[in-house]
Amino acid sequence: MSAERLQKRLARAGVASRRAAEELISAGRITVNGEVATLGRTVTDADDIRLDGQLIETESVPKVTYMLYKPRGYVTTARDEYGRRNVLDAMPRIPGLHPVGRLDRDSEGLLLLTTDGDLTLTMTHPRYGHEKAYRAWTDGPHEPTQADLDALTGGALKLEDGPARALLATPARGGAFVTLGEGRNRQVRRMMEEIGHPVTRLLRYRVGGLWLGNMEVGEYQQLDERDLQDLLHPEKVPAPIWERQWDRIQKRWG
Protein backbone atom coordinates (compact mmCIF):
# COMPACT_ATOMS: atom_id res chain seq x y z
CA MET A 1 0.00 0.00 0.00
CA SER A 2 1.93 3.04 -1.28
CA ALA A 3 2.00 6.34 0.59
CA GLU A 4 1.93 9.81 -0.96
CA ARG A 5 1.79 13.41 0.18
CA LEU A 6 -1.64 14.49 1.37
CA GLN A 7 -1.86 17.48 -0.96
CA LYS A 8 -1.09 15.24 -3.94
CA ARG A 9 -3.80 12.80 -2.90
CA LEU A 10 -6.31 15.64 -2.54
CA ALA A 11 -5.42 16.96 -5.99
CA ARG A 12 -5.69 13.48 -7.50
CA ALA A 13 -9.13 13.15 -5.95
CA GLY A 14 -10.14 16.41 -7.62
CA VAL A 15 -10.63 18.34 -4.39
CA ALA A 16 -8.39 21.23 -5.41
CA SER A 17 -5.07 22.02 -7.01
CA ARG A 18 -2.00 21.05 -5.00
CA ARG A 19 -1.39 24.64 -3.96
CA ALA A 20 -5.01 25.10 -2.95
CA ALA A 21 -4.90 21.77 -1.11
CA GLU A 22 -1.88 23.03 0.84
CA GLU A 23 -3.92 26.09 1.83
CA LEU A 24 -6.76 23.84 3.03
CA ILE A 25 -4.29 21.83 5.11
CA SER A 26 -2.67 24.96 6.57
CA ALA A 27 -6.12 26.29 7.48
CA GLY A 28 -6.80 23.16 9.55
CA ARG A 29 -9.73 22.08 7.38
CA ILE A 30 -8.36 18.63 6.55
CA THR A 31 -8.34 15.73 9.01
CA VAL A 32 -6.72 12.32 8.64
CA ASN A 33 -8.10 9.56 10.84
CA GLY A 34 -9.75 12.16 13.06
CA GLU A 35 -6.64 14.30 13.55
CA VAL A 36 -6.06 17.74 12.03
CA ALA A 37 -3.53 17.25 9.24
CA THR A 38 -0.33 19.22 8.81
CA LEU A 39 1.77 19.95 5.74
CA GLY A 40 4.12 17.11 4.92
CA ARG A 41 1.67 14.43 6.03
CA THR A 42 1.65 11.26 3.94
CA VAL A 43 -1.41 9.06 3.51
CA THR A 44 -2.44 5.72 2.05
CA ASP A 45 -5.69 4.31 0.67
CA ALA A 46 -6.51 3.04 4.15
CA ASP A 47 -6.66 6.53 5.71
CA ASP A 48 -9.89 8.37 6.49
CA ILE A 49 -9.46 11.83 4.92
CA ARG A 50 -12.05 14.57 5.46
CA LEU A 51 -12.59 18.17 4.42
CA ASP A 52 -14.63 20.17 6.93
CA GLY A 53 -15.79 16.86 8.36
CA GLN A 54 -16.95 15.41 5.05
CA LEU A 55 -15.31 12.22 3.83
CA ILE A 56 -13.17 12.60 0.72
CA GLU A 57 -13.32 9.78 -1.79
CA THR A 58 -9.64 9.55 -2.59
CA GLU A 59 -9.92 7.18 -5.48
CA SER A 60 -9.24 9.06 -8.70
CA VAL A 61 -12.36 10.75 -10.06
CA PRO A 62 -12.96 10.86 -13.82
CA LYS A 63 -10.95 13.66 -15.39
CA VAL A 64 -13.25 16.19 -17.01
CA THR A 65 -12.56 19.81 -17.91
CA TYR A 66 -14.98 22.58 -18.86
CA MET A 67 -14.73 26.11 -20.17
CA LEU A 68 -17.25 28.59 -18.80
CA TYR A 69 -18.12 32.11 -19.89
CA LYS A 70 -17.99 33.39 -16.33
CA PRO A 71 -20.56 36.13 -15.67
CA ARG A 72 -19.63 39.27 -13.79
CA GLY A 73 -20.63 39.12 -10.12
CA TYR A 74 -19.57 35.50 -9.58
CA VAL A 75 -16.60 34.70 -7.36
CA THR A 76 -14.05 32.16 -8.51
CA THR A 77 -14.02 29.84 -5.55
CA ALA A 78 -15.51 26.50 -4.61
CA ARG A 79 -16.75 27.89 -1.30
CA ASP A 80 -17.49 31.47 -0.25
CA GLU A 81 -17.84 32.40 3.40
CA TYR A 82 -20.05 35.39 2.50
CA GLY A 83 -22.59 33.36 0.58
CA ARG A 84 -21.96 35.12 -2.73
CA ARG A 85 -22.68 33.42 -6.04
CA ASN A 86 -19.71 31.33 -7.11
CA VAL A 87 -18.82 29.79 -10.43
CA LEU A 88 -19.83 26.29 -9.34
CA ASP A 89 -23.41 27.59 -9.13
CA ALA A 90 -23.23 27.95 -12.91
CA MET A 91 -21.96 24.39 -13.47
CA PRO A 92 -23.38 20.86 -13.25
CA ARG A 93 -22.79 19.10 -9.93
CA ILE A 94 -19.64 17.05 -10.50
CA PRO A 95 -17.59 15.68 -7.57
CA GLY A 96 -14.16 17.27 -7.43
CA LEU A 97 -14.88 20.04 -9.97
CA HIS A 98 -12.93 23.17 -9.11
CA PRO A 99 -11.85 26.43 -10.81
CA VAL A 100 -8.44 26.63 -12.46
CA GLY A 101 -6.89 29.84 -11.16
CA ARG A 102 -8.89 32.99 -10.58
CA LEU A 103 -10.92 35.56 -12.47
CA ASP A 104 -11.97 38.33 -10.11
CA ARG A 105 -15.59 38.91 -9.19
CA ASP A 106 -15.97 42.01 -11.35
CA SER A 107 -14.45 40.39 -14.44
CA GLU A 108 -15.99 38.06 -17.02
CA GLY A 109 -14.98 35.63 -19.70
CA LEU A 110 -13.14 32.36 -20.15
CA LEU A 111 -12.65 30.31 -17.00
CA LEU A 112 -11.55 26.69 -16.81
CA LEU A 113 -12.99 24.22 -14.31
CA THR A 114 -11.68 20.68 -13.94
CA THR A 115 -11.47 17.57 -11.80
CA ASP A 116 -7.87 17.09 -12.96
CA GLY A 117 -5.48 18.35 -10.29
CA ASP A 118 -2.44 17.88 -12.53
CA LEU A 119 -4.00 20.07 -15.22
CA THR A 120 -4.70 22.73 -12.59
CA LEU A 121 -1.07 22.68 -11.51
CA THR A 122 0.13 22.92 -15.11
CA MET A 123 -2.13 25.86 -15.89
CA THR A 124 -1.49 27.86 -12.71
CA HIS A 125 2.20 27.36 -11.91
CA PRO A 126 4.24 30.39 -13.06
CA ARG A 127 6.98 28.23 -14.58
CA TYR A 128 4.67 27.08 -17.37
CA GLY A 129 3.81 30.64 -18.45
CA HIS A 130 0.48 29.93 -20.15
CA GLU A 131 -0.77 33.07 -21.87
CA LYS A 132 -3.99 34.78 -20.82
CA ALA A 133 -5.49 37.40 -23.13
CA TYR A 134 -7.92 40.15 -22.11
CA ARG A 135 -10.10 42.87 -23.56
CA ALA A 136 -10.20 45.90 -21.25
CA TRP A 137 -12.55 48.88 -21.42
CA THR A 138 -11.15 51.95 -19.66
CA ASP A 139 -12.02 55.31 -18.19
CA GLY A 140 -9.96 58.46 -18.38
CA PRO A 141 -9.52 61.71 -20.27
CA HIS A 142 -8.65 59.86 -23.50
CA GLU A 143 -8.45 56.34 -24.89
CA PRO A 144 -5.15 54.48 -24.38
CA THR A 145 -2.69 55.08 -27.20
CA GLN A 146 0.00 52.67 -28.31
CA ALA A 147 2.54 54.92 -26.60
CA ASP A 148 0.61 54.58 -23.33
CA LEU A 149 0.39 50.82 -23.70
CA ASP A 150 4.07 50.41 -24.53
CA ALA A 151 4.68 51.07 -20.82
CA LEU A 152 2.99 47.73 -20.10
CA THR A 153 5.38 45.74 -22.26
CA GLY A 154 8.58 47.62 -21.46
CA GLY A 155 9.29 45.85 -18.18
CA ALA A 156 9.64 49.02 -16.11
CA LEU A 157 6.17 49.00 -14.57
CA LYS A 158 6.28 48.58 -10.79
CA LEU A 159 3.37 47.22 -8.77
CA GLU A 160 3.24 46.71 -5.02
CA ASP A 161 4.01 43.00 -5.46
CA GLY A 162 6.90 43.53 -7.88
CA PRO A 163 7.68 44.43 -11.49
CA ALA A 164 5.02 43.58 -14.07
CA ARG A 165 5.15 43.20 -17.82
CA ALA A 166 2.60 42.35 -20.49
CA LEU A 167 3.57 40.22 -23.47
CA LEU A 168 1.42 42.32 -25.79
CA ALA A 169 -0.74 45.43 -25.47
CA THR A 170 -2.56 47.15 -28.33
CA PRO A 171 -5.28 49.83 -28.47
CA ALA A 172 -8.95 48.95 -28.95
CA ARG A 173 -12.10 51.05 -29.12
CA GLY A 174 -12.45 52.58 -25.66
CA GLY A 175 -9.67 50.46 -24.17
CA ALA A 176 -7.07 47.84 -25.04
CA PHE A 177 -6.20 44.23 -25.73
CA VAL A 178 -3.65 42.93 -23.19
CA THR A 179 -1.87 39.56 -23.10
CA LEU A 180 -0.08 38.30 -19.99
CA GLY A 181 2.26 35.39 -19.40
CA GLU A 182 1.42 35.27 -15.69
CA GLY A 183 -1.69 35.53 -13.59
CA ARG A 184 -1.22 37.70 -10.52
CA ASN A 185 -4.24 39.03 -8.64
CA ARG A 186 -6.14 41.70 -10.63
CA GLN A 187 -2.98 42.28 -12.64
CA VAL A 188 -4.48 43.83 -15.77
CA ARG A 189 -6.58 46.20 -13.69
CA ARG A 190 -3.58 47.28 -11.61
CA MET A 191 -1.33 47.73 -14.63
CA MET A 192 -3.88 49.85 -16.49
CA GLU A 193 -4.50 51.92 -13.36
CA GLU A 194 -0.76 52.52 -13.10
CA ILE A 195 -0.64 54.10 -16.58
CA GLY A 196 -3.68 56.28 -15.90
CA HIS A 197 -6.41 54.24 -17.61
CA PRO A 198 -8.55 52.55 -14.92
CA VAL A 199 -10.53 49.54 -16.15
CA THR A 200 -14.33 49.69 -16.12
CA ARG A 201 -14.89 46.28 -17.71
CA LEU A 202 -12.53 43.34 -18.16
CA LEU A 203 -13.07 40.23 -20.26
CA ARG A 204 -10.72 37.26 -20.70
CA TYR A 205 -11.11 35.82 -24.18
CA ARG A 206 -8.22 33.35 -24.42
CA VAL A 207 -6.18 31.00 -22.22
CA GLY A 208 -3.30 29.25 -23.97
CA GLY A 209 -4.69 28.24 -27.34
CA LEU A 210 -8.30 28.03 -26.15
CA TRP A 211 -10.63 30.87 -27.21
CA LEU A 212 -13.95 32.07 -25.84
CA GLY A 213 -15.27 32.36 -29.40
CA ASN A 214 -19.05 32.75 -29.68
CA MET A 215 -19.96 31.47 -26.22
CA GLU A 216 -22.63 33.44 -24.39
CA VAL A 217 -22.54 34.65 -20.78
CA GLY A 218 -23.11 31.72 -18.39
CA GLU A 219 -22.66 29.11 -21.13
CA TYR A 220 -20.27 26.20 -20.56
CA GLN A 221 -18.97 23.29 -22.58
CA GLN A 222 -16.86 20.23 -21.88
CA LEU A 223 -13.44 20.16 -23.50
CA ASP A 224 -12.49 17.27 -25.73
CA GLU A 225 -8.98 16.02 -26.49
CA ARG A 226 -8.53 18.54 -29.31
CA ASP A 227 -9.55 21.42 -27.03
CA LEU A 228 -7.08 20.27 -24.37
CA GLN A 229 -4.34 20.00 -26.98
CA ASP A 230 -5.04 23.57 -28.12
CA LEU A 231 -5.14 24.78 -24.51
CA LEU A 232 -1.78 23.31 -23.57
CA HIS A 233 0.03 23.71 -26.90
CA PRO A 234 -1.06 26.94 -28.58
CA GLU A 235 2.03 26.84 -30.79
CA LYS A 236 0.52 23.81 -32.56
CA VAL A 237 -2.75 25.54 -33.45
CA PRO A 238 -2.76 26.04 -37.25
CA ALA A 239 -2.28 29.67 -38.25
CA PRO A 240 -5.56 29.92 -40.23
CA ILE A 241 -7.55 28.72 -37.20
CA TRP A 242 -5.73 31.18 -34.93
CA GLU A 243 -6.41 34.05 -37.34
CA ARG A 244 -10.08 33.09 -37.64
CA GLN A 245 -10.47 33.06 -33.85
CA TRP A 246 -8.74 36.44 -33.54
CA ASP A 247 -10.98 37.93 -36.26
CA ARG A 248 -14.02 36.65 -34.37
CA ILE A 249 -12.86 38.31 -31.15
CA GLN A 250 -12.17 41.62 -32.91
CA LYS A 251 -15.58 41.66 -34.57
CA ARG A 252 -17.34 40.87 -31.32
CA TRP A 253 -15.38 43.01 -28.85
CA GLY A 254 -12.94 45.13 -30.88
Side-chain angles (χ1 to χ4, degrees):
M1 190 177 297
S2 61
E4 63 182 337
R5 289 293 179 95
L6 176 58
Q7 59 266 35
K8 183 177 180 181
R9 178 63 62 91
L10 292 170
R12 187 160 61 83
V15 173
S17 68
R18 292 189 195 180
R19 283 195 293 175
E22 290 175 355
E23 293 175 2
L24 292 173
I25 296 168
S26 297
R29 297 175 59 187
I30 304 294
T31 61
V32 178
N33 302 327
E35 298 179 351
V36 176
T38 56
L39 286 174
R41 176 72 185 261
T42 59
V43 294
T44 69
D45 290 338
D47 289 311
D48 178 301
I49 303 171
R50 296 177 182 263
L51 168 61
D52 297 335
Q54 186 167 357
L55 182 66
I56 300 298
E57 298 293 338
T58 55
E59 291 300 317
S60 294
V61 298
K63 293 182 179 180
V64 293
T65 302
Y66 290 85
M67 60 185 295
L68 165 72
Y69 186 148
K70 174 195 167 304
R72 280 178 282 181
Y74 282 66
V75 295
T76 308
T77 178
R79 297 173 181 81
D80 182 65
E81 60 184 296
Y82 302 108
R84 297 172 295 184
R85 293 177 298 180
N86 69 68
V87 292
L88 292 182
D89 294 332
M91 300 298 298
R93 301 296 179 187
I94 297 175
L97 191 68
H98 59 271
V100 179
R102 296 292 180 98
L103 191 57
D104 71 69
R105 182 186 181 190
D106 298 325
S107 299
E108 63 189 280
L110 199 163
L111 178 72
L112 298 171
L113 298 102
T114 188
T115 61
D116 185 348
D118 290 331
L119 176 67
T120 302
L121 178 64
T122 299
M123 294 305 303
T124 56
H125 198 288
R127 73 170 175 264
Y128 295 108
H130 290 289
E131 291 184 0
K132 300 175 180 66
Y134 301 83
R135 169 63 158 104
W137 288 262
T138 61
D139 193 10
H142 61 83
E143 295 184 355
T145 65
Q146 188 61 61
D148 294 331
L149 297 171
D150 284 345
L152 303 184
T153 59
L157 203 64
K158 299 294 192 299
L159 302 179
E160 64 270 19
D161 53 355
R165 184 177 72 87
L167 300 177
L168 183 68
T170 57
R173 186 176 63 252
F177 288 105
V178 181
T179 301
L180 300 181
E182 56 183 349
R184 287 147 63 181
N185 184 43
R186 300 176 69 87
Q187 186 172 347
V188 173
R189 292 180 181 276
R190 292 187 292 141
M191 292 175 75
M192 294 298 293
E193 178 81 31
E194 190 70 18
I195 65 169
H197 295 280
V199 171
T200 58
R201 179 187 177 192
L202 186 67
L203 177 143
R204 183 161 67 196
Y205 64 86
R206 179 172 65 84
V207 176
L210 192 67
W211 299 71
L212 190 61
N214 289 327
M215 291 183 69
E216 298 296 334
V217 177
E219 184 181 353
Y220 62 84
Q221 66 184 50
Q222 186 173 344
L223 303 189
D224 59 22
E225 287 300 320
R226 176 59 184 271
D227 295 326
L228 290 169
Q229 175 77 4
D230 291 347
L231 171 68
L232 295 168
H233 302 285
E235 73 282 359
K236 296 182 180 179
V237 177
I241 293 178
W242 192 276
E243 291 166 5
R244 186 162 61 247
Q245 291 280 17
W246 173 233
D247 286 343
R248 182 178 293 164
I249 293 300
Q250 287 186 301
K251 288 176 182 177
R252 187 174 182 184
W253 288 298

